[in-house]
Amino acid sequence: MGEFKVHRVRFFDYMPSAIRAMAFNSHTERLALVRADGALEIFNFADHYFQEKVIPGQDGRAVEALCWVGQRLFSAGLNGEITEYDLENLRPRYTVEAYGGPIWTIGSNKQGTLLMVGCEDGTVKMFEILKERIQFQRNLERQKGRIVSLSWHPSGTLIAAGMMDMIRIFNAETGHATHRMLVERGVGASKSREVVVWSVAFLSDYTIISGDSAGKVQIWDGLTGTLVRTHLVTKWDVLCLSVSQDESSLIAGTSEGTVVQFQFISSTVDQQEEEWVRTRTFKNHSHDVRALAHTETAVVSGGMDTQLVVRPLLDKVEKNTQESAMRKIALPHRSLVCCAKKAGLLLFQFPDHLEVWRVGESDGHGKPGDSLPVKRKPEKLIQLKGKGGDHIYSSALSPCGEWLAYSTVSSVRLYRLQYNNISITKVSKLPKDLCLGHQLCFSSDSTKLFASSRHSSVIVVALNQLECKYLHTLKPKSGSRQPVHLLCTSEDGKWLATANTDCEIHVYDLHKRKLHCTVPIYSSCPTAIAIHPTTSHLVVVHADQQIFEYSLVQKEYTEWSRKLQKQGLHSLWLERDTPVTHVTFSLKNPAHIILHDMFMFCIIDQSLPLPESKTLLYNQMTLRSLPEQERIRHSHAFKICKNFKHVMCVSLLEDHSLVVAAEPVLHYLSEVSKRAQTTLSQFAGQYIHVMGL
Amino acid sequence: MVEHGDIRVVHRGGSKINFRKPVITNDSRFLLCASGESVKVFSTSTEECIHDLRGHTDLVTGVLIKPSNHLQAFSCSADGTVRLWDFTDGILIKTYVIGYPIFSIHASPHHEGVIFVVTPMQGDKRSGELFQLVAVHLPQSGDQLVEARELSAVLTGISSNPAATVFGRGGEYIASANGLQLEVYFFKKQKAYRFSLKEDNKKGGKNTFTCVACHPNDDCIATGHEDGKIRLWRNFNHKKEYTYSTLHWHHSAVSSLSFTPEGTNLLSGGIESVLVQWRYNQENQRDFLPRLGAAITHIAVSPDGALYCTSHSDNSKELTSVIESKPLFLTLLFRPRAGESVGTDLMIDPRSKSLVLNGKPGHLQFYSLQRDKLLYNLDIVQQEYIHESGLQQFEVVKAAFDASGNWLATVEERKQKGAELELNLKLWAFDEQTQSFVLNTTISAPHEAQITGMCFSHATDSQTTMLVSTSKDGHFKAWQLAAQSQTDGPSWSCDFVGAYHGLVPECCSFSADGSLLAVSFQEVVTVWSPASWELLTTLSQPPKAIRNLCFGRLSCSKYLLGTTDSNLLCCWNLLTCSLEWSTSMDVSLLLADPLSENMAAFCCQAGCTDLFVFKPSEPRPLFSQKAVCSGMVTRAVFAPREEMLESCEESSQWLNRSQLYFLTQYMVNNTNRSAVKEKKSAVSKRLVIDDSVAMTPFYLLLGKHRQQQQGGDDPQSGVSAERTPLPQGSVAIKELLQTPAHVLPSTSFLCSMFVQSLLISVTDSREESKHAEEEMESEKEEEDSEEEIESSRTRPEQQAAVGGGEAAESAAPAMTKAQVRELRRVKKLDHSWLAGLLDS
């Protein structure tokens, strides 16, 4: 029914970085995850594992450990600092130097009053957690050799510390070491190498469990300091351990990419005496498993292969439900590509730099499926390196392509671009209010820049050739303190919509410069919003895959949206496990909504009937083989194309050609496995072809 | 029909000992194996079969040491009885009649007076597939025969495989696996838990359970699976929170699992023929005992944990001492190829006079008929046999000895799907120094198609040895030993390639003096002169192809005999080149006795095979017997006797020089469906004169072991039930003869007993021969009496003992030949008096 010229962009070689540590907060069901480049990500496990917040990293900041204390999140790293994060403004709140050399581990007591860090110099340092900051309290007895891992007994009286070749038990009150438990080295050649106790766990029954670099998971009696059991799990390292809340299950991540589960079960049916028995083995990673979290129902693991894997435990969840499906989260749940529709430019956001590309051109025509000759090759126009070591949080390119803005945790920068002989000039004088921009967005006529600021407010800045001027700040009435994570304007420049992680969507009337309306709050977080250019309908897609259409004029859900809710979405649509990250509209056909997630893109034709629950959802291939009349009878509103993998962006240019930025999977995987600096230029490039939908 | 009352067919082979899991006794001295209709008791130190516990009238399906008395053993059978034995003395203590066919037996020391048997489910139309576990309360009764009718079903819908049901720790629960489901029944709570696995074919994994083992001290159930995985189940007293861990080493199905008595190790085995020992709770530490020869079917561990016994699919048992970790002994029994048309003929090695046939895969086995023992396996293929199902590997399909036994020719072939046939002709020279065959020449691809026949020139005096092979490619080739070079010594090369009108040659045969070669080309017999390779004459007896071709021997060497597909036996006189005589009979196998003029012909008619022995020169058969056996005789051979017998009776004279051995084969699609018959098996039988050297039955083992299925009413089993059980006296005789002289009672006492028995034997011998007749009729039961094997073994010893007795006590008169013969007959009689004597 529609033919598109597709620019298949394969030169966005975005590479997620390795997962370094994670911490799960069982009260809020949020998983904090830190990557090797220092970026922190917060996933909401209660809301379809949606990646709610991202705090970009910084050059030279390697975070080694994470720790939740109530709602507060602390991290420590090899730079020797402890950082607390401001999760409302998405930036580090403060950092405290521990003065003990690189910090390997961080932990808190159960009461949430004390924080301890294990340092390279062999000290365990205690910090008191105050309301606004942390304060150094004291050192425990200093040891020879670094403290690699720490675990606090739930009662708070004893601390187990994993070191080189041994585990120490400290009395938390006196600070003295009470036990010294020697850990056996590996056999053979590794006999001469020190064994590193990578992880310890102190259970409430005074059992200590350790995982070490000789591949052993050992169970110790913490009161007597004696070894109870040794489980040889791998030939290489056991890197991390995690114990379930009820201490009946334990998981160990190894450098072979496996996660081994142990369960505390009685060896005989009537006996009360229980012991730790190795049970299941999960192999979902190709490389080291560096971080683990044991939630109530699932094993969460991440490591060098950058994927976050949520593997439900089948004895804890109902079988054959959405909950029992395994999830792999590979790419961020937000758009890293910005498309300047009028100029045919693409802006790619990397952690530390930005790239502006011009898409290639082709004047050929062809049948669906044909590849067209590329007349002009795509070219990289600008590569802009971030300043000051801070990584980029958000970026935007104006539709005309003349303005480029990006934000870091500390500042917003605006550039003016010229293409006839390529030049880039920084706009030096920015309004003082424009210091924070979680999200950036240009108006469609490129005269205004919108930047979301603290407490869900939006700063509006007017741009012209000479200067850039602060106009006003738009504030919601709800008083939410959560940051805005989605921002969009309408084509006609009248509306601006924002969505924050409290699931609120506010729409502002830009002409009246005030809040127009608030969309009724839905329980799931919005993952993509867009305003229709002609009808001014707001289309919202949520993390639970629901789609709503809201009429801004009538301030109510549209007829189509009601019909969709009444009939319900197709079960296969709801079972998809990656969120829709971008919504756009077709200029030619106003009934078309184009949206995409990681594995597919979809054109929703509002003029066609919705798919029944029994009809085939992915029917494009079968439709193609049917005769014309049959095709009309069988076609439904959801036209889904699964030709691409790892879709980063789908956007419609002015000339009605589609830009699909998709990574070749091969490229992605080989990059992960090699981790080498080689440029895989044979994969990079652009293909233009014609696609019928 | 000629009178032949004194010629009988004797089973020389029989059933398998790998049908069910063997049991090692508590003192590790004996190994009990279910074998056909009996239970065999082997000594673990000498590997001799000590007792053969006979009494069941149908297949024995399980053996078990009685939990409350470790000197007694239960055996269960498809005849619906459970029998209790004293296995050290070989005495039947009690028979419990259950009334339903039993497929396996289980017991636990914690369930006193109760045994658990698996029977088909009653009142169900599909009772052939569904089985139930039934608890049987054994009544306390002094009687020999006890009716045990107090049955209560425990589990229903279980597998009949005994390895799939096992008692857990302390008999508290019983675990049973069937298909994709594991069921655990707790006796105290009377509650069953079921755990199912998905049939996961996504990754090629097949989760079907194959076997189950329970840890002796922990609540841990180990299950083996079709895809080679072993799962260790724990926490199975919860419906939902059960858990299991997976061990994976085997690439094919795990066929047997066993925990050691202390529970420290788990043993597993499968088609890989590697015994794997997993350390319990340290499962990544495992030890291997590789190259066990054939796929492991069962693993048994002695109660003290010192011995492991593995049964293999080639019917061998291997006992492994844990400490030394090397096989202690290997009982390899006769193993002809199972139910396949490939396989060599039965042959007699002219040197060792041993029977030669297919042995282990890619081997020829040399089996001593005199000593009834496997001599050795000759590796023909000389390639590693890969223990994996579904692989096409080289098989020995033809073999031939020359007359002097100096040369052995073998043909091996491999036919792979989509690939060309691979053929090798190998010629082996006998090496005097090593006393074995050494490979002399390998001819790869001797023909372009399958070799259909091969024979050596028989002339012992001729200077050159010649081998002729015929092939489906339309040629026959003559191979001759030729000195090629000084360094290498003589080797074989092709001398002549012959063809006849593009027809396919089938059989070839040399005349006795080696001057003529007859090759059959479909319906035409061509006679060639090997000296000049000249086609001398063609003989034809249309319209059907020649099936067998055979020259007469000695005085009848002018005759050439052939059988055709059109049920014609023709005899040509080569002097006149004309048909001497022909008769219409459907001869399936024709063979000539190399030591006499006699020819034997097996005719297959109406599911039975008749045997005719005749001389080509005489129209009257020397001997004929209807229905020698049921089914077709596929292979037969004349084996020369060590010493010639003098028999006056005309009908048995033909057996004076040789004995005739033949192999039969039962087809599965027989109309009668009895447990015994469904087993594809072959029996080697021997025709002997009644009072000749005693018959030594040994059991031929054949075929893949299959689950036994019981047909309820079967005339065959009825016949076998009527058969009188044979006396068990030979054991006592053996014991008498093996017991040192100084512990025996006084000779005068023994002597008088002997004399007494001689007197009785006159009447009994008639009975005996009658019985022999009867046996001939019903000899389908391949499980035959074992006592005759004992008697044959003991014969020389007996004579020696008699001689010794003479020397020791000159009072005893020298026995006449007749007396010795009588004495021999005695030992087939009841010798329980002697057993009683020895026991006292």
Side-chain angles (χ1 to χ4, degrees), chain B residues 536-612:
Chain B
L536 298 175
T537 183
T538 59
L539 307 164
S540 178
Q541 194 65 33
K544 282 289 171 68
I546 303 285
R547 200 186 275 167
N548 285 303
L549 204 59
C550 204
F551 272 99
R553 304 277 162 194
L554 304 177
S555 64
C556 300
S557 59
K558 61 184 176 188
Y559 296 109
L560 174 65
L561 288 104
T563 63
T564 67
D565 282 346
S566 58
N567 305 347
L568 218 57
L569 172 64
C570 310
C571 178
W572 289 281
N573 189 334
L574 289 173
L575 297 177
T576 61
C577 289
S578 61
L579 190 69
E580 188 90 355
W581 53 268
S582 75
T583 172
S584 176
M585 57 199 288
D586 182 15
V587 178
S588 63
L589 198 66
L590 180 75
L591 74 159
D593 183 359
L595 300 178
S596 65
E597 298 95 344
N598 300 327
M599 314 277 288
F602 290 95
C603 305
C604 191
Q605 272 178 343
C608 284
T609 298
D610 308 334
L611 170 66
F612 298 93

Side-chain angles (χ1 to χ4, degrees), chain B residues 590-721:
Chain B
L590 180 75
L591 74 159
D593 183 359
L595 300 178
S596 65
E597 298 95 344
N598 300 327
M599 314 277 288
F602 290 95
C603 305
C604 191
Q605 272 178 343
C608 284
T609 298
D610 308 334
L611 170 66
F612 298 93
V613 181
F614 59 94
K615 279 185 188 176
S617 54
E618 293 174 33
R620 198 175 67 100
L622 290 172
F623 170 84
S624 72
Q625 178 162 5
K626 291 269 178 203
V628 167
C629 65
S630 73
M632 216 165 84
V633 171
T634 52
R635 308 281 180 220
V637 72
F638 275 103
R641 285 183 190 279
E642 278 187 346
E643 50 191 271
M644 229 175 83
L645 289 178
E646 288 154 24
S647 175
C648 43
E649 277 182 80
E650 196 197 3
S651 64
S652 53
Q653 266 176 359
W654 62 279
L655 283 167
N656 285 359
R657 287 164 173 271
S658 322
Q659 290 162 297
L660 178 64
Y661 289 84
F662 59 88
L663 263 169
T664 63
Q665 186 175 344
Y666 290 125
M667 309 316 287
V668 207
N669 50 8
N670 234 329
T671 45
N672 293 342
R673 312 197 93 219
S674 82
V676 179
K677 294 190 91 175
E678 279 199 358
K679 194 163 63 183
K680 258 192 216 167
S681 58
V683 188
S684 159
K685 291 157 188 169
R686 178 166 70 159
L687 285 162
V688 281
I689 298 169
D690 186 33
D691 59 350
S692 75
V693 188
M695 318 78 203
T696 321
F698 57 91
Y699 286 103
L700 272 194
L701 309 156
L702 254 209
K704 235 169 52 186
H705 168 240
R706 299 185 312 108
Q707 294 260 333
Q708 300 304 309
Q709 297 228 329
Q710 293 307 113
D713 45 346
D714 173 39
Q716 210 56 60
S717 59
V719 171
S720 60

Side-chain angles (χ1 to χ4, degrees), chain A residues 227-253:
Chain A
L227 180 64
V228 179
R229 278 291 316 247
T230 298
H231 291 276
L232 192 65
V233 166
T234 166
K235 281 179 188 161
W236 314 108
D237 294 28
V238 175
L239 293 172
C240 45
L241 294 173
S242 180
V243 184
S244 69
Q245 198 79 24
D246 58 357
E247 296 187 353
S248 68
S249 168
L250 165 85
I251 45 175

